[in-house]
Amino acid sequence: MSHSPSINTTEKADNAARTTPFDTLLVANRGEIACRVMRTARRMGLKTVAVYSDADVSARHVREADEAVRLGPAAARESYLNIDAVIDAAKRTGAGAIHPGYGFLSENGSFVKALEEAGITFVGPPASAIAAMGDKSAAKARMANAGVPLVPGYHGDDQDDTLLRSEADRIGYPVMLKASAGGGGKGMRVVESGDGFQAALDGCRRESKAAFGDDRMLIEKYLVQPRHVEVQVFCDRHGNGVYLFERDCSVQRRHQKVIEEAPAPGMTAELRSAMGDAAVRAAKEIGYVGAGTVEFLLDADGSFYFMEMNTRLQVEHPVTEMITGQDLVEWQLRVAMGERLPCHQDELAITGHSFEARIYAEDPDQDFIPATGLLTRFALDLEGAGLNADQVRLDSGVESGDAVSMHYDPMLAKLIVHGPDRDAALATLNRALAALDVQGVVTNRAFLMRLATHPGFKNVELDTRFIERNEATLFAPRTYSREDYASAALIGLHQLAQECESDSPWDRHDGFRLNAPHTIRIALCDPASAQAPDSDEAVVIVEGKRNAGESLWNLTINDETLTASLQPLTGDAVAVTLNGHRQRLQARRDGHVVIMADPSGETRLFWRRIDAIDHGHHEAESTLTAPMNGTVVALLVEPGVAVEKGMPLMVMEAMKMEHTMTAPADGSVEIFHFQAGDTVSQGAVLLDFAANENE
C-alpha cells in the first residue's frame, strides 16, 4: 500500500486525537441512514440514541432507537443542524460517540471541533480533512499536489461575476457551475453557452446560499459523455489505507444519483488499480480517517479526472458491501474506536454484481417534483416475487402509516440487489422493483423500472446524461394493449371483492347470480388523464360465472372477447390467464388506480365501474397552483406585464431544490397570492393568470 508523501502537523495531531471505547452511539441523522447505522450498532452491542425534530416525533428511526431526544422544530437549521442541541443530547444520554450519517452535519468541520472539545468521538474524519475537501477550490490544489488527475477549470477566490464569465469563456462551453461548499446536486448547473451564464450563476448562488450558507462558485469543463465512477476508500489512525473498489453512478437526474452499481461495468484490472491507488493517495494527502469516497469522471478513452471527495459514508455504500461482504458501518465504528482496518488491500475481493435504486417521493412525470402525504402502504413482497433476503436488501426510513414531510430530502428508501453477474443482478432488480408496493404517496418506482429495463442501460451505454439522452423513450406516452385492459379489469374486480365484501361481485343484490351470467361494465384509462372531461377510455364488458368452484370470465373489449381467470398467489402476486396464456403479476390497487408489475415493467390504469353510480369526471383546474409544499423564492414578473407562454413567472423551493413556474399561455399575471419567503401548501392557488383572448 502506498503512503502519503506529506501530512501536515495539524493533520497528524488530528489523527492522534484521543480515542476511547464507547458503549452508546448517538446517530445525528434521520430516515433510512439513521435506521441503517443503528442496525449495525445494535449488532455490535452498542446502545443507540436517536435525535428528532417536531416533524419526526413518530418517525421510524425514533421508534427503533433505545433512546431518543428532541432537538427542536421541523426546520433543519433549528433541529438536525443545531450543533449545540445535538451535543447536549449526547451528554444527556451518555453517548460517547456520534455518527453523522450523510447530509446535515456529516461534513461540518465546526461540528467535529465542537465534539473534540466536548470529549465526544466523531465517527468520521478529522476536521482538517473535512476542511481540505469541503472547499472544492482548495481541494483541487491538494489533489494536484498528490498527483491526482484534474479536470480543467477555475477554482479561485475571486468571485466577481465578470471574472467568472471570462473564465467560463476561456475554459470553453459547455461548463459546469458548482457550489464550492456544496454537494448532492445542489447549486449546480450546466451552462451550454455564454448567453445563459448569468442566469445560471444567479440560480446556483441562490441554491448554494440556501443549502450551505455559502454562495462561492467554481467552474469546470463539462465533459460531454463521461461516466461517474467513484472509489470507496478507508483509512485508519495508524497510517493504513485501502480501497474497496469502485461504483458506477452515471445514471443521474439534476446531478443526483438514481441507480448505482458495483463494480463499474467494463473496468480493466489496470484501470481499477490506477483509480484505486489515486483515491488512496487523495485520502492520505489530507490525513484522512474513516470512510470516504473519491469521485472521478471517466472519459470514453479511459482517462479519469478527480471531481470531488465526499468525506462521509455515501448513500450508495450498500452496493460495495454486497460485492465485498464487508459492513462499512462496522468498519467506521471500529476505526473510531482506534482499531486498525479489518483488512489489507490483498484481502479484499469482488464477488458478483450489485445495484442500488433510490426510492424517492417524487413525480418523474411532473419534472420530478417532490411529493408529500401519508404512506398508506410500504411493503416489499419478496416471497410473492420469488426472491429471498440473500438477493435483496431494502434500507428504509419509513413504514406503512408514516408521513412524508416537506421539510427534508424526499428519499424514502434504497432497494439493493445482488447477483452472480450484472445481467442476473439486473434481472433481480427488475423483479424486486415490481414487488415493492408503495401507496398513498407518488414515487419514482415506475420510472426506475423504465430505467432498469431500458436497452441502453442493459447494454452499458452509460454516461452522466443518460436520462437526458433517452428522455424520448423514458417519458414516452404510454400505450395499452387489450391484455392490459383485460388484466386490470379483472384485478380491480378481485381486489374490490377482497377489500369490501359488500361490493363483491359474488355478493351483490342487483340481479347477479352465482350460476348465471351477469354483466359488469368497467372503464379504464391512463391515470394522468382520469380527471379530464375528454379522456380516452376503454370499456371492458365483464361476464362472470362459477364453474366447479372456479371464477371464469368473458371479457369483451372492442367487440373482441377473451376467456379469463384469476388465481391469487403468495403475497401480492396473482396469476391472470387470458385465452390460455398465464402471466404472473404483482397486483395492487391504490385508490382507483390498478397497478400491475412484472420484471418487464409497470402498468397503471384508472379503474371505475360504469354500471354502478358514475360520478363522471372532474373538470381540470384552470388556475396555476402549487405542485408541491414549499417556499416562494422569487417573483419574476410584475402583475399586468405581458408575458409569453413558457416564460418563468415565479420560483418555488422544496427540499432545497428550485422549481420554476411558467406562464401557461400568452397573457399576464393579474395578481400573486404569495410573496418571496411565504410557505405554501400543495394545491394552493399561487397566482391569477389572464390569458389573451385569442388563446
Side-chain angles (χ1 to χ4, degrees), residues 231-262:
V231 178
Q232 177 70 62
V233 295
F234 235 106
C235 299
D236 61 24
R237 297 182 184 276
H238 306 281
N240 302 306
V242 299
Y243 62 90
L244 289 89
F245 313 112
E246 79 288 339
R247 302 180 286 254
D248 193 305
C249 307
S250 299
V251 179
Q252 304 175 9
R253 54 93 177 150
R254 293 176 180 165
H255 315 296
Q256 289 185 315
K257 301 159 189 174
V258 179
I259 295 181
E260 304 99 341
E261 60 183 296

Side-chain angles (χ1 to χ4, degrees), residues 635-643 648-649 667-672 675:
L635 307 181
L636 305 179
V637 299
E638 292 292 332
V641 175
V643 297
L649 303 179
S668 63
V669 174
E670 292 184 325
I671 186 173
F672 286 105
Q675 299 299 315

